[in-house]
Structures are given as structure tokens and as C-alpha cells.
Amino acid sequence: MASLRCPPCLLAIFFLVSISSAQLSSTFYDSSCPGALDKIKSMVKAAVNKENRMGASLLRLHFHDCFVNGCDGSVLLDDTATFTGEKTARPNNNSIRGFEVIDSIKSEIEAMCAQVVSCADILAVAARDSVVALGGPTWTVPLGRRDATTASLAAANSDLPSPALDLSNLTSAFSKKGLSTTDMVALSGGHTVGQARCVTFRNRIYNETNIDSSFATSTRSNCPSSGGDDNLSPLDVATPRAFDNFYYKNLVSKKGLLHSDQQLFNGGSTDSQVMTYSKNMAKFFTDFAAAMVNMGNISPLTGSAGEIRLNCRKTN
């Protein structure tokens, strides 16, 4: 009843929600840098054609950016005298890659439109274009993010989901970022491409029981019980170079590479969603596209906040 006595409060709430929803716009660069999106698309396509794995790497860069203090390009910053960046955080060290591709794109964009297009937006668009280049869905990317002037090693260590998490902790990690369980299961489908290091799945293939025995045996050949931490195995053993729904088919067959992957199909609340995606790739594509937009909306810097970096690796 109290709300009925406070119409100005309702108006204020409506105004704030309107501002929030209008922060980013798909037409943000239409006038200020009309060729930017085409340039990013062509350069991403060339990079993926040169090295298929790069598509997964660029997708992952956007994810690892957004989960640490929002989608602000902070993951791209090198260490400085005043802060330690995110590149050496436990989930990132010797793992995330693709920085040189982003550098090249930024350089070309700067030559077209000086200090207009943010590194954070380049990451968001490159992630979309990488998925498309690998045969996955497309979506309209809201734009207008600005770049952070600092980064956080501590936040990267605490906020990026570990491959060792159980379902409840995974759900919590995504919920803290405003993402639903549906978003989490759909975004996990990004593991239909890319590779993981032996150190991230060794315990699963040697010690867990909810795993196909032949899959475990074959995976051990490239991941010894000790040593070889950086040896790589595909996250999707069936079609590692294509963005499709085989990730979910693998989970149903108990062939998830990471502990956190198989948790999505392990007798819990997300089993039905995994099963749906394993049978209906169109549904997965639709939900993945929507989830990527939701993820890309995590705490962006807009307006006069942050800056537009000239070099994605350092502040201006």
C-alpha cells in the first residue's frame, strides 16, 4: 500500500529502468564509425580461418571480461605500477589468448575512426562474429560500452567460475552476475568449441565415476596422471571445430570434459535443459544468442564513465 502513496517514487524507478535499458544501442556507431562492425567481422573471420581455435579464444575473452567487474575491457590491460591486471589470475594465466587479434582490430579501427570504438565493444562484437564464423548463431550486439581504467586480479580470481565447481556453485556464480540458470546452461554451450588444459580436467578423467570409460581412457592418452599440465584436449570431442549442439550430446553420453560441464547433466535441475538442447540445436542457438546479450549487459561503463582506449593493453 505504501507504494500507492508515492507516485514520484514509481516515476523515479521507471526513469531509472528506462535509462538502464537505453544505456547500450545496436546503432551506437552508425554515425560515428559506420564501417566499424564490418571491419571487425572481416578481421575475425580471417583470424578464425587462419586458426580455427581462435574463434573459441575470442568468445572466451568476452566472457572473462564480463565476469570481472562487468564488460569493460579490463581483461585486456597489462600490469602497471599501480595495479596488477587480470591476465595472470588463476583462471587466465597461460590460458586466455587472442590479445594480438584484438590489438590488430583496434589498430585498424583507430585508423578509421580515432578514439571512437571501445575495446570492450570490440570484444563483444568479436565474440559474436567468432561464433558465426564457426557455424553458430548470430545476434544483434548492443553497443556503447566504454573501457575501464583499471583491472582487478583479485576479482578475476574470485568471480570467474572454476571448472571444479558443482552445479549449486555454478548457479550461484552466474546468479551473482544477474544471469539465470537458463543463461548459464546456454552459455556453457560455448564449450562446443575450444580446448582445455590437462590440469583443468585431470581429476575428472582419473577419479570421477560419472564419465564414459572409453572417453576417459582415450583422454588420458594426452593427459598423464602427473605432468603435461598444459597439454590440450577438445572440450567437444565429437565436433571440436564446429559451433553446434554436440556439447550437450556429449553430456548426455557422460563425455563432458570438465567437472563443471558434466554437472549440468548429472541428475540435477538442469538435466532437462541439456536434454532439450541435445535434441534441438535451433533452441540452443536461440537461447545462446539471448544469453550472450544478457552477459554483454553486465555492468557496462557508459556515458562519461571510463574512457575509449587508444591501445587496448593500456590506459590513455
Side-chain angles (χ1 to χ4, degrees), residues 24-199:
L24 302 179
S25 165
S26 61
T27 61
F28 191 82
Y29 297 115
D30 282 8
S31 298
S32 58
C33 195
L37 299 191
D38 286 340
K39 175 59 70 173
I40 297 171
K41 181 179 180 179
S42 65
M43 295 188 71
V44 167
K45 185 176 181 180
V48 175
N49 286 341
K50 182 179 179 180
E51 183 197 3
N52 180 269
R53 183 188 174 201
M54 187 54 67
S57 297
L58 294 175
L59 173 61
R60 189 164 180 249
L61 267 183
H62 181 43
F63 175 86
H64 281 228
D65 181 37
C66 290
F67 260 64
V68 183
N69 297 328
C71 309
D72 59 3
S74 61
V75 72
L76 303 172
L77 288 171
D78 290 337
D79 297 350
T80 72
T82 57
F83 67 82
T84 301
E86 298 160 21
K87 292 179 178 180
T88 56
R90 286 187 300 275
N92 293 336
N93 197 32
N94 297 320
S95 179
I96 53 170
R97 57 198 296 276
F99 299 110
E100 294 79 9
V101 174
I102 298 299
D103 289 341
S104 296
I105 293 173
K106 178 63 172 175
S107 179
E108 291 287 328
I109 295 291
E110 283 298 308
M112 295 169 55
C113 321
Q115 211 169 352
V116 172
V117 181
S118 69
C119 300
D121 274 349
I122 290 174
L123 282 178
V125 176
R128 187 269 313 274
D129 292 343
S130 292
V131 170
V132 173
L134 294 170
T138 189
W139 59 92
T140 301
V141 180
L143 301 164
R145 301 168 190 80
R146 288 169 64 84
D147 296 323
T149 55
T150 188
S152 175
L153 177 74
N157 278 325
S158 64
D159 290 8
L160 288 167
S162 162
L165 291 184
D166 291 335
L167 181 59
S168 61
N169 291 324
L170 281 170
T171 303
S172 176
F174 279 74
S175 178
K176 287 176 182 177
K177 302 301 176 182
L179 298 172
S180 68
T181 301
T182 297
D183 289 331
M184 176 190 71
V185 178
L187 288 170
S188 296
H191 284 179
T192 192
V193 291
Q195 302 183 70
R197 295 184 301 148
C198 170
V199 68

